[in-house]
């Protein structure tokens, strides 16, 4: 089940980090479309992939780089129009049309002041500023293999982000005879026609300009209704998008049902908060069941409660790997004080000693620590220093490089976060086997594997348990993951190197949240008019209460 270690979906490699303290997470991080992020060090403990697999199942059909809903209609229309008017099954010709459509879309968006989430706007800004006359030629920038590209990715935003989701949702079907995608009979063709109907005569203009490869300013003015923010309310196109997200009439597949339930939860949280929620707020409210002021989220729907439980497991799993990655950062920072290196035993001993010095009183066993814990009544209460959100914010501030140091106090908070998670699972009787039990325990570490490890050492001396966590779940785990990446992917991602019986620091890494597609989902809901800056719109309220 899932992907190999270090091979997360493209969004996890290309997004600017969303993993700052919660107060800084109110902006969507858009992709660095023209650059690929360095993959070295990604998921250094092989724990993030279990979270990625969870959120992929919770919000299928949306990814972290499918940033605007209207691209779904644009590609459906383009595929339908290409089949009717071009019909060439050469993939390179289809690629050329895709790239020209995207380049022209970027020019339209930039000409009208720019909109976030449109691929190629950096190129479009330069091109419009530097155009010698009224005519802007985009043929060369869109030509496959061109050095003057609007986007470096061979298949543009279509290949890098949207193609897989179009098939996942069922907007596209595969042909038995060629590689060119076709709109599916009902959803794909219906969405394509609705998109064209919304544009009217401008659809003809748009396709003509795609074939021509150039555009003038008057034509860019005329194409304004194409913008992703211009989906007409109550239009057939808008209703298609709403059906994709909510599938109110039916949810024919498990993926459609999961997407529907997660989208409804986002809308419920928006109604609960009485404003547009940030992505990080959605995950914390679904985990805690409260807002930060302690108000209780009431869903009154067993299917939504069940979906919230799945999001609870996802978020708890994320907190688990954040705690382990903080211990990794502490280990790396400690090792950095010894340029000549330290033996494994000495490094573990020093790290454990420093952590224990911050815990008072030191419990006899892990079991004794759990018995003395009373998790916060509201895990999202930032005013409670022992809540999960407070501990996590402190841990994240330890950073991932030399700019900040993970102190023994922070490492001790990571241990406490692990214990609180373990204790909360015991108290609520959370079932981790169904969502996490299918992962290969070697390739995928998760909240389930780590709590089982701690269960096996409940009655061991507490200091010994901390040492075993540091050695087996952090240091040796990282070395195993890095070796696997080297063997299977050719990536050298070792943060620690072993030489002549000593461990030496090579690079640093640290705690980081995964990004569960909530930001794009919120933007989609705004695009189709179900969410606004002040929260639920009347259409959004109708969607969840009708």
């Amino acid at each position: 089940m899932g992907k190999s270690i270090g091979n997360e979906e493209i969004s996890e490699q290309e997004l600017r980090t969303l993993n700052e303290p919660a107060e800084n997470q109110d902006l969507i991080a858009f992709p660095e479309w023209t650059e690929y992020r360095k993959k070295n060090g990604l998921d250094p403990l092989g724990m993030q992939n279990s979270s990625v697999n969870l959120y992929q199942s919770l919000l299928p059909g949306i990814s972290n780089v499918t940033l605007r809903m209207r691209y779904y209609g644009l590609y459906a229309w383009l595929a339908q129009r290409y089949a009717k008017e071009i019909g060439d099954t050469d993939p390179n010709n289809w690629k050329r049309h895709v790239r020209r459509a995207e380049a022209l879309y970027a020019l339209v968006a930039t000409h009208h002041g720019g909109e976030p989430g449109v691929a190629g706007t950096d190129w479009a800004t330069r091109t419009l500023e530097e155009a010698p006359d009224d005519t802007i030629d985009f043929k060369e920038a869109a030509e496959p293999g061109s050095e003057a590209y609007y986007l470096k990715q061979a298949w543009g935003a279509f290949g890098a982000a949207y193609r897989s989701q179009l098939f996942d949702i069922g907007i596209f079907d595969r042909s038995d005879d060629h590689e060119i995608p076709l709109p599916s009979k009902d959803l794909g063709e219906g969405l394509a026609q609705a998109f064209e109907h919304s544009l009217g005569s401008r659809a003809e203009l748009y396709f003509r300009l795609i074939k021509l490869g150039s555009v003038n300013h008057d034509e860019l003015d005329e194409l304004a209704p194409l913008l992703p923010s211009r989906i007409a309310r109550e239009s057939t196109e808008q209703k298609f998008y709403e059906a994709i997200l909510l599938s109110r009439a039916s949810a024919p597949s498990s993926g459609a049902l999961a997407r529907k339930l997660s989208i409804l939860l986002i809308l419920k949280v928006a109604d609960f908060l009485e404003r547009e929620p940030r992505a990080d707020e959605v995950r914390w409210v679904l985990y805690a069941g409260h807002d930060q002021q302690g108000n209780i989220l009431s869903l009154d729907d067993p299917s939504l409660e069940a979906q919230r439980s799945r999001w609870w497991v996802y978020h708890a799993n994320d907190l688990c790997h954040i705690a382990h990655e903080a211990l990794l950062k502490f280990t790396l920072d400690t090792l950095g004080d010894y340029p000549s290196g330290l033996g494994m035993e000495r490094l573990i001993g020093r790290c454990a000693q420093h952590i224990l010095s911050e815990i008072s009183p030191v419990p006899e066993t892990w079991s004794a620590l759990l018995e003395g814990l009373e998790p916060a009544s509201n895990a999202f209460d930032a005013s409670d220093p022992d809540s999960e959100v407070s501990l996590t914010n402190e841990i994240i501030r330890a950073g991932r490089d030399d700019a900040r140091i993970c102190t023994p106090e922070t490492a001790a908070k990571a241990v406490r976060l692990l214990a609180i998670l373990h204790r909360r699972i015991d108290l609520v009787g959370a079932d981790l086997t169904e969502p996490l039990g299918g992962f290969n325990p070697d390739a995928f570490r998760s909240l389930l594997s780590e709590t089982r490890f701690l269960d096996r050492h409940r009655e061991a001396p507490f200091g010994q348990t901390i040492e075993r966590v540091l050695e087996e779940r952090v240091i040796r785990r990282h070395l195993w993951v890095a070796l696997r990446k080297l063997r299977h992917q050719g990536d050298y991602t070792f943060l620690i190197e072993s030489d002549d019986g000593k461990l030496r620091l090579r690079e640093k890494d640290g705690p980081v949240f995964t990004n569960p597609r909530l930001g794009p989902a919120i933007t989609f809901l705004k695009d189709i008019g179900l969410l606004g800056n002040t929260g639920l719109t009347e259409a959004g309220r109708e969607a969840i209460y009708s």
Side-chain angles (χ1 to χ4, degrees), residues 141-359:
E143 187 64 20
S146 169
E147 291 298 318
Y149 50 78
Y150 77 102
L151 281 182
K152 185 176 182 179
Q153 287 85 350
W155 283 92
F158 172 74
Y162 290 90
R163 183 182 185 276
S164 60
Q165 309 307 325
L166 290 162
F167 280 107
D168 194 16
I169 289 174
I171 295 172
F172 273 176
D173 277 341
R174 290 178 173 82
S175 169
D176 294 332
D177 303 318
H178 54 76
E179 300 177 22
I180 313 302
L182 300 172
S184 58
K185 183 175 182 181
D186 296 319
L187 178 57
E189 291 184 356
L191 178 56
Q193 292 165 7
F195 180 87
E196 180 162 320
H197 183 265
S198 292
L199 294 185
S201 62
R202 297 173 185 88
E204 296 291 337
L205 173 63
Y206 188 45
F207 197 73
R208 178 172 64 80
L209 294 174
I210 290 170
K211 292 190 292 183
L212 182 63
S214 65
V215 63
N216 62 46
H217 285 83
D218 287 342
E219 290 163 336
L220 290 174
D221 285 337
E222 191 172 347
L223 289 174
L226 190 66
L227 295 171
S229 61
R230 300 286 184 92
I231 301 169
R233 304 296 178 254
E234 299 299 321
S235 65
T236 304
E237 182 189 6
Q238 188 268 342
K239 292 301 181 184
F240 264 98
Y241 296 135
E242 188 174 330
I244 287 168
L245 294 182
L246 291 170
S247 300
R248 288 194 307 218
S250 63
S253 69
S254 59
L257 179 58
R259 182 171 57 250
K260 169 187 174 180
L261 293 174
S262 291
I263 293 294
L264 285 173
L265 285 174
I266 294 171
L267 293 172
K268 287 280 190 178
V269 171
D271 191 35
F272 175 57
L273 297 178
E274 298 183 332
R275 57 178 171 78
E276 178 192 339
R278 301 192 309 269
D280 69 291
E281 286 181 305
V282 173
R283 60 190 291 168
W284 275 109
V285 168
L286 295 180
Y287 174 76
H290 297 77
D291 64 11
Q292 287 199 291
Q293 287 70 46
N295 300 306
I296 299 174
L297 174 69
S298 178
L299 296 175
D300 299 322
D301 183 329
S303 61
L304 289 180
E305 288 286 0
Q307 188 74 346
R308 186 179 85 81
S309 295
R310 298 181 188 101
W311 277 100
W312 188 97
V313 173
Y314 159 75
H315 189 69
N317 193 69
D318 239 27
L319 297 182
C320 179
H321 77 68
I322 283 169
H324 280 78
E325 288 161 5
L327 293 176
L328 173 65
K329 178 62 160 58
F330 178 63
T331 303
L332 297 172
D333 284 337
T334 301
L335 190 57
D337 292 334
Y338 299 89
S340 61
L342 278 178
M344 176 80 78
E345 186 175 344
R346 287 186 65 196
L347 175 61
I348 293 168
R350 287 176 187 269
C351 290
Q353 182 181 12
H354 288 316
I355 292 172
L356 293 175
S357 70
E358 296 293 332
I359 300 175

Side-chain angles (χ1 to χ4, degrees), residues 65-78:
V65 283
T66 54
L67 299 176
R68 301 304 295 262
M69 186 93 217
R70 207 169 198 186
Y71 270 108
Y72 289 58
L74 187 156
Y75 291 124
W77 168 82
L78 182 65

Side-chain angles (χ1 to χ4, degrees), residues 400-449:
R400 304 183 66 188
D401 51 31
D402 279 324
R404 286 171 287 183
I405 298 296
C406 184
T407 64
E409 179 184 8
T410 301
K413 288 181 177 180
V415 171
R416 189 162 185 82
L417 177 60
L418 279 176
I420 288 173
L421 288 169
H422 199 173
R423 178 64 172 158
R424 199 179 285 279
I425 291 166
D426 285 349
L427 290 174
V428 304
D431 179 16
L432 303 181
T433 304
E434 187 270 330
L436 297 172
F439 293 131
N440 180 328
D442 290 328
F444 292 87
R445 291 285 170 85
S446 68
L447 182 64
L448 178 62
S449 66

Side-chain angles (χ1 to χ4, degrees), residues 28 39 52 80 117 167 171 177 243 305 317 333 343-344 355 365 368 370 395 447 489 493 515 519 538:
I28 296 174
K39 291 193 294 183
V52 171
Q80 184 185 70
F167 280 107
I171 295 172
D177 303 318
E305 288 286 0
N317 193 69
D333 284 337
M344 176 80 78
I355 292 172
T365 63
L370 296 186
I395 290 167
L447 182 64
Q489 300 172 21
T493 61
N515 184 22
E538 286 303 314

